[in-house]
Structure formats: structure tokens, C-alpha cells
Amino acid sequence: MENNSSAEQEQSLSIDQRFFELQSLFEMSQLLNASLNLTSILNTLLWTPMGRMMIQRGFVLVTDENDEYSIFAVKGLSRDLIGKQFYVEYSFQNPILVKELDEKECRWKNFFIENKIELLLPIHSTERLVGILALGSKLTKISFSESEIEFLNSLANIAASSIENALNYQKIDHINKQLDKKVQELSTLFAISKELNSTLNLSEISNLLLYSIMGEMTVTKCFVLLKTENGYELSGFKGSAENSELNQMFGQPDVQKWLYQISEPVLIESVYPTDVVNKFKSFGLETVVPMLLNKEPRGIVVLGGKLTKQHFKEEDLEFLLTMCNQAMISIENARLFEETIEKQRIEEELNIAREIQQKLVPSTFPKLDNFSVFGMNLPSRQVGGDYFDIINLDNEHIIFAIADVSGKGVPASILMSNLQASLNSLLYQHADLSAVVGKINDLIYKNTGMDKFITFFCAQVDLKENKMSYVNAGHNPPYLVHKDGKYIALDKGGLILGMMPNVRYDTGYIDIQKGDVFLSFTDGVTEAMNHEEKEFEEWRLVNLLEKAQKYNWDIQQILNNILEELKEFTKGVPQMDDITMLGFKVRDVWK
């Protein structure tokens, strides 16, 4: 009877112990699941068995997706162990005593022994091993019993789901924080972009970018360099009094060459140390960020260190790159706006110059009894360097002049207007044409450089005597075509105007006959090219003049026919030079 009673008592104590353990595990489960704080869960998991079993020391390892373990919670050991990472090759499926570990399978056995860890308990979730509970010996020096290990294993298994939930919560919290940061960055970028796009002033845009970077990154210094024809040039800076020295450094060939290779953000410390990199370091510069436009670097932002002494992170570089690219768009818009304004200004000036030039060229032609007179001028640009004029000296004498000024555009038109003014001021009745042309040559030479010159032809027609005198100063020889088709090239004269002073010019003389056609022209007619790069040439012009004589066209018909043939010849090719023609035809029947 006594043996039965003793057995019943032991069975009752075992049941009570089991009940107590189950109750403890239930309470532990409630406690663990009541929190999503990983540190709190791990501390509870660690402290509960240590307090209950009077364990001297212990820690909890938690693994990540890469099977890297980190110590998250410790008790009875140095807190310096927190954060220590290592890779555990051993497959923990069941609780195991450290002394039973195979050193070949677990190279961290000595680490556990050195820290007086006696028991390792795997923390299994439904899908994976999330951690290891490492416990030292008991104060009683009594080894862990099977029931204690079973209890601890159950405790670890109960904690697994709480740890898994806490880890997932940490990930979600981290993602949310990243999203919040991204939202904040986007909001900041939107505000900065709005500011950058509110102005088309390059200086203001550079300053806005500098202030934005200084404010967001709290850097000690910041420099903006923009790409020009001469390389990267300093556009603006903040936070440094060394701008002259830095500007000099940025302009050095080796630095320029290095900057031209930058197409993505660069941390100075992360690149191989070279002379250029050492120069950047000597000025306390830490980061270089390109300013991209359509993936092409058009600018560079160089930053010093942060006031907080923290290093630049990957997200910092992403943020800076986005900001710099947005700024580059604004800078390009400002540049295009300035170009548009400048182009409009030039267009207005050219329009004014064209109006002035058109007034210098005759728009109407004299009505003569025995002559039909006509001229035309088609500039290749808004203003050109070709010129023609018809000047009535009196009722019996008329001047025909044509010229081609070197160059094109406004400079040529200005020189052309000087020629027109000189010709009108020097000509008078019975003036010596060769002397007049000589004086014009001296004026052009005196007031222009060696690269400016004028080909010039001037003829005076005596309407009463039917004679013509002329001077050709290096111009394409005009043609005088007789009614029978024979022609004369009028080439007597001298050197091009403006080449040298005191040039002697000869005067040519010729009689005018009934039916004669006189045509002067610039090289824009004979040197006009087709798509095969062949020139129109003088022979085509002569053929057209001979054809005109057969059909007995007046001078306006002749010039219009030449222009039509010229356009047909150069069809599909842009006009490269001014086209100017001036001529007259002597009527067959004189009044």
C-alpha cells in the first residue's frame, strides 16, 4: 500500500509540474504574442527560463534571409556581443548540448564554449529556422534534465511565431519608413522643381540648386560646373572662400579630363586614389554628381562633407542625381530661352538692316525712250553683300553700278551701304569714272581690314551719243550682246576694291547699237550649284542671252528667264549666295 501511495504521489507531482509548465507556456505565449517589438520578445524569451532555472548567462541569435546570424539579446554577458554577426553552418533541428557539437560541422563551437554556453535550442517557425536560444549553465551546477530541455524547446517553438511576426513587422516598418522618406524626397523634389521652373535666369537657377543641396544634405561646400565649349566652368558655389583656388583646380587639364568621364554619382573615397582624386580630397570634397540631360552629362555638382560628419548613402546619391537632373532641365530651358531672346533680337536687327538695304537698292527703274532697264537682288540671307544701283546724273547721262561685297550678313551689308554712300557722293556730271573708282578704293582700304574687299563694276551711259564708258574693279565681266548674237565681255578696269591703296584704274569705252543687251551679274548666278555640285557657269548665261536676242525679249523678260533657268538648275539645293542682276536693252526703233 505504501508503494502505491508513493507512486500516486509522484504521478500527482508530475501532473502538477506538467500543468504548471503548460500554464507557464500558455502565459508565455500570451506575453510573447502581445508585442511586435523584437527586442522585447527576445528579452522575454531569454529572461523567463533564466529566471526560472537560475541560468547564469545566455543570448539569442536571430537569422536573416541569407542565413547570417546576429546576436540580438544578451544577459549575463558583455553587451558588446549585441550585433555580432556570423554564419552558422550547423543544421539545428533539435536542442543540443554544446559539448556534443562536432567542431568540423560547427566552427563556432569554441565561441559558445568561451562564453560558457551549455545548451542550444533551435527556434523554428513553420517555414524556417528563425533563431537560436543559447543558454549557459545553472547556478546549481546541475545539468539540464530531459523535461527541462523539453520545456525550453517548447518555449522556443512558441516564441518562433512571435519572432517571425516581429521580424516581418520590422521589414514592413522599414519599408514604410523608406516609403515615407521617398514621399518626403518626392515632395521636396517637387517643391524644388517648382522653384527651379519659376525662373529662366541661369544665375538664379544655380543659386536655387546650391541652396537646396546645402539645405537637404547639410554639406560644408557645394560647387556647380556647367559644360561649355571650353570644358566644365564654375557656374556657382556656396560655403567656401577658396573659390579662386578651386576654380583654378577645376580648370586644370587632368581634372577636366576626369570630370568628362563622370556619368554617375561618385564617392571620392571609393575611387582609386590618383593625383586628381587627391586634389579633390585636399579641398575636402567628397562627392561628384553629374547633371544629366537625355542621359548626357551637361554639368557637374561637387560637394564637400556633411556637417554631421556622416557619410553619403546610396539614397543620398539617388536624391542628388534626381535633383541635379531636374536642375539641368531648368538650366537648359533657361539657355534655350536666352538663345530665343538673342535670336529674336538678331532677327529684329536683321529686319531693320534688310529694310535699310532694300531702300539702298532701286525698287523702280527709269523710263527711258530708247532703253528698257531692270534689275533684281535676291539675298541668300535676310541681308546680303550684293549691291546694284541706277543713278541719273542728268537727262542725258545714267550710271549703272553693281558690286559683290566679301562675306555675308550684317557686316557685308554695312560695307555695301558704305560703297553706296561713297559712290553717290563722288559721282557728278562729266566725272572721270576711273578717278571716282580710285577714290572709292582708297576709302574702302582705309576703313576695312584685309579680309574685306569688293568686286565692283560701274558704267556711265550717254543716252544722247549712245556711248558707254565703264570701269571693272575685279568684278565678273558683264556682257554686251549684239542683235546678231555676238557679245563682248567688259573687263577693262583694275584691282578689286580695298586690296591696296592708290590703285590706277583704266576706263573702257564702247558704242551702243540698236537691239544691244547689257547684262551685269554677281557670282551668285554663275557659281550656283546643282545637286551634283556642278556650277551654272558663264556659258549657260551666254546661251540664254543669245536665245533672248532671237525672241526679242525686253530686259525684264530676259532677267526673269535667267532666274527661272537658274532655279530649275539648282532645284532641291539651298541658295548659297546672293543673286543679283542688272541690265538694259536698247530698243530696235529709236524715238
Side-chain angles (χ1 to χ4, degrees):
M1 290 293 294
E2 289 181 2
N3 290 335
N4 290 337
S5 176
S6 177
E8 288 176 0
Q9 286 178 356
E10 287 180 6
Q11 185 178 12
S12 176
L13 287 172
S14 177
I15 292 172
D16 290 342
Q17 184 178 358
R18 288 289 184 180
F19 177 77
F20 178 74
E21 288 177 353
L22 288 173
Q23 187 177 19
S24 297
L25 290 173
F26 177 75
E27 292 174 354
M28 189 67 175
S29 175
Q30 287 183 315
L31 186 61
L32 291 171
N33 290 319
S35 174
L36 288 172
N37 184 287
L38 182 61
T39 302
S40 175
I41 292 171
L42 296 179
N43 284 333
T44 301
L45 173 62
L46 188 59
W47 294 342
T48 300
M50 288 181 67
R52 176 173 175 174
M53 299 182 185
M54 293 186 293
I55 298 170
Q56 293 178 302
R57 58 184 60 83
F59 57 79
V60 182
L61 293 163
V62 178
T63 187
D64 57 19
E65 294 86 351
N66 300 317
D67 292 330
E68 287 286 341
Y69 285 80
S70 298
I71 297 177
F72 269 73
V74 299
K75 186 172 178 61
L77 292 167
S78 173
R79 293 188 60 81
D80 292 340
L81 291 176
I82 294 179
K84 181 176 176 59
Q85 293 181 321
F86 46 87
Y87 180 74
V88 178
E89 305 91 338
Y90 189 83
S91 177
F92 286 94
Q93 299 297 325
N94 299 297
I96 189 170
L97 295 172
V98 171
K99 64 183 180 181
E100 296 176 0
L101 283 172
D102 187 337
E103 289 186 14
K104 293 181 180 180
E105 294 181 0
C106 183
R107 60 191 180 94
W108 290 101
K109 178 177 180 178
N110 289 335
F111 171 79
F112 296 134
I113 293 172
E114 287 171 5
N115 287 279
K116 299 180 179 180
I117 298 299
E118 186 174 321
L119 178 65
L120 300 176
L121 300 121
I123 305 173
H124 283 286
S125 68
T126 54
E127 297 180 354
R128 67 188 184 103
L129 181 68
V130 297
I132 299 171
L133 176 60
L135 298 173
S137 59
K138 295 186 286 185
L139 285 172
T140 60
K141 305 298 181 179
I142 300 173
S143 299
F144 290 97
S145 65
E146 288 186 9
S147 60
E148 287 175 330
I149 293 175
E150 185 181 349
F151 171 78
L152 291 171
N153 191 42
S154 299
L155 182 62
N157 289 334
I158 290 173
S161 61
S162 301
I163 294 172
E164 187 77 49
N165 291 338
L167 288 171
N168 290 332
Y169 175 79
Q170 274 192 344
K171 291 178 185 177
I172 294 170
D173 186 56
H174 179 67
I175 292 170
N176 285 336
K177 286 179 180 177
Q178 285 185 318
L179 288 174
D180 289 342
K181 187 176 180 181
K182 287 294 181 183
V183 169
Q184 181 62 37
E185 286 180 356
L186 288 172
S187 177
T188 302
L189 287 170
F190 177 78
I192 293 171
S193 175
K194 189 175 180 182
E195 287 291 325
L196 291 170
N197 291 323
S198 67
T199 179
L200 289 169
N201 183 290
L202 282 172
S203 178
E204 289 182 10
I205 293 171
S206 291
N207 281 329
L208 280 170
L209 176 61
L210 287 164
Y211 282 123
S212 298
I213 291 175
M214 295 285 284
E216 290 297 321
M217 296 287 114
T218 62
V219 291
T220 55
K221 57 189 77 172
C222 183
F223 302 85
V224 175
L225 296 93
L226 298 180
K227 186 182 286 186
T228 68
E229 294 179 354
N230 301 319
Y232 281 110
E233 294 184 357
L234 190 63
S235 173
F237 70 94
K238 294 294 176 188
S240 177
E242 305 161 337
N243 62 303
S244 59
E245 295 179 24
L246 271 170
N247 197 11
Q248 185 178 2
M249 184 200 77
F250 289 138
Q252 293 171 359
D254 57 340
V255 174
Q256 286 284 316
K257 183 178 179 180
W258 188 75
L259 290 175
Y260 265 84
Q261 298 172 358
I262 302 298
S263 59
E264 58 185 23
V266 172
L267 292 172
I268 301 297
E269 285 292 338
S270 66
V271 297
Y272 183 79
T274 62
D275 290 342
V276 172
V277 171
N278 290 334
K279 288 177 184 178
F280 276 72
K281 288 180 179 178
S282 68
F283 283 102
L285 304 175
E286 294 189 6
T287 306
V288 179
V289 182
M291 302 173 71
L292 305 177
L293 185 67
N294 297 326
K295 298 182 180 180
E296 178 188 351
R298 299 288 293 276
I300 291 285
V301 171
V302 184
L303 291 82
K306 294 184 179 183
L307 289 171
T308 59
K309 306 298 182 183
Q310 294 179 341
H311 296 294
F312 286 92
K313 299 177 181 178
E314 189 68 30
E315 52 264 33
D316 293 334
L317 300 182
E318 289 181 13
F319 178 80
L320 285 167
L321 182 61
T322 305
M323 187 192 299
C324 290
N325 292 348
Q326 181 59 52
M328 195 64 247
I329 294 173
S330 300
I331 289 171
E332 181 67 9
N333 289 339
R335 186 188 66 79
L336 292 174
F337 177 74
E338 287 187 357
E339 282 187 1
T340 302
I341 295 298
E342 180 65 14
K343 185 178 180 181
Q344 289 176 350
R345 184 187 66 78
I346 293 172
E347 290 282 345
E348 290 174 2
E349 291 180 357
L350 289 174
N351 287 333
I352 294 171
R354 181 175 177 81
E355 289 177 11
I356 294 172
Q357 188 177 34
Q358 286 176 338
K359 290 178 181 178
L360 297 177
V361 176
S363 57
T364 59
F365 304 97
K367 304 296 182 182
L368 304 175
D369 291 338
N370 299 322
F371 293 77
S372 62
V373 179
F374 191 73
M376 63 173 58
N377 171 245
L378 284 75
S380 61
R381 301 184 181 183
Q382 283 181 293
V383 290
D386 281 8
Y387 160 72
F388 77 87
D389 208 348
I390 304 168
I391 305 171
N392 285 313
L393 295 178
D394 55 38
N395 292 332
E396 297 180 357
H397 298 86
I398 189 169
I399 297 291
F400 292 87
I402 189 168
D404 187 354
V405 179
S406 64
K408 296 177 179 63
V410 175
S413 71
I414 293 173
L415 190 52
M416 183 268 278
S417 64
N418 289 337
L419 172 65
Q420 191 266 355
S422 300
L423 181 63
N424 278 271
S425 64
L426 293 173
L427 279 173
Y428 56 91
Q429 190 178 1
H430 306 302
D432 183 352
L433 274 186
S434 60
V436 169
V437 175
K439 289 181 179 179
I440 293 174
N441 172 71
D442 292 342
L443 287 170
I444 298 299
Y445 177 82
K446 182 179 180 181
N447 294 294
T448 60
M450 289 295 293
D451 60 331
K452 294 290 184 293
F453 54 85
I454 304 172
T455 66
F456 179 63
F457 178 89
C458 183
Q460 177 176 283
V461 177
D462 188 325
L463 301 174
K464 183 178 181 181
E465 299 294 333
N466 298 316
K467 294 181 180 294
M468 182 169 69
S469 58
Y470 71 89
V471 175
N472 189 332
H475 195 76
N476 299 78
Y479 294 110
L480 186 69
V481 185
H482 297 308
K483 191 172 182 180
D484 60 3
K486 295 180 179 179
Y487 64 89
I488 304 169
L490 308 180
D491 56 4
K492 195 167 187 179
L495 195 64
I496 293 170
L497 300 181
M499 295 294 289
M500 62 176 62
N502 304 318
V503 177
R504 182 177 178 275
Y505 291 92
D506 297 325
T507 304
Y509 298 94
I510 192 166
D511 292 330
I512 298 173
Q513 303 172 16
K514 292 180 180 180
D516 281 354
V517 171
F518 166 77
L519 176 68
S520 59
F521 54 92
T522 60
D523 57 14
V525 176
T526 54
E527 294 179 4
M529 289 188 178
N530 62 13
H531 66 279
E532 296 178 348
E533 296 188 357
K534 293 181 178 179
E535 293 185 351
F536 191 71
E537 297 184 0
E538 282 82 355
W539 65 267
R540 288 188 176 87
L541 190 60
V542 171
N543 288 344
L544 290 173
L545 290 172
E546 291 174 347
K547 177 182 175 183
Q549 286 291 47
K550 291 179 182 179
Y551 290 102
N552 198 29
W553 290 337
D554 67 15
I555 192 64
Q556 184 172 354
Q557 288 176 303
I558 293 171
L559 264 62
N560 286 336
N561 178 251
I562 293 172
L563 183 61
E564 288 177 9
E565 291 290 334
L566 192 62
K567 287 182 177 179
E568 183 63 28
F569 179 79
T570 60
K571 190 173 182 179
V573 179
Q575 180 184 336
M576 301 303 296
D577 200 359
D578 303 337
I579 295 174
T580 303
M581 293 184 283
L582 172 64
F584 63 77
K585 181 172 183 180
V586 184
R587 293 190 174 93
D588 291 337
V589 179
W590 289 358
K591 295 181 180 179

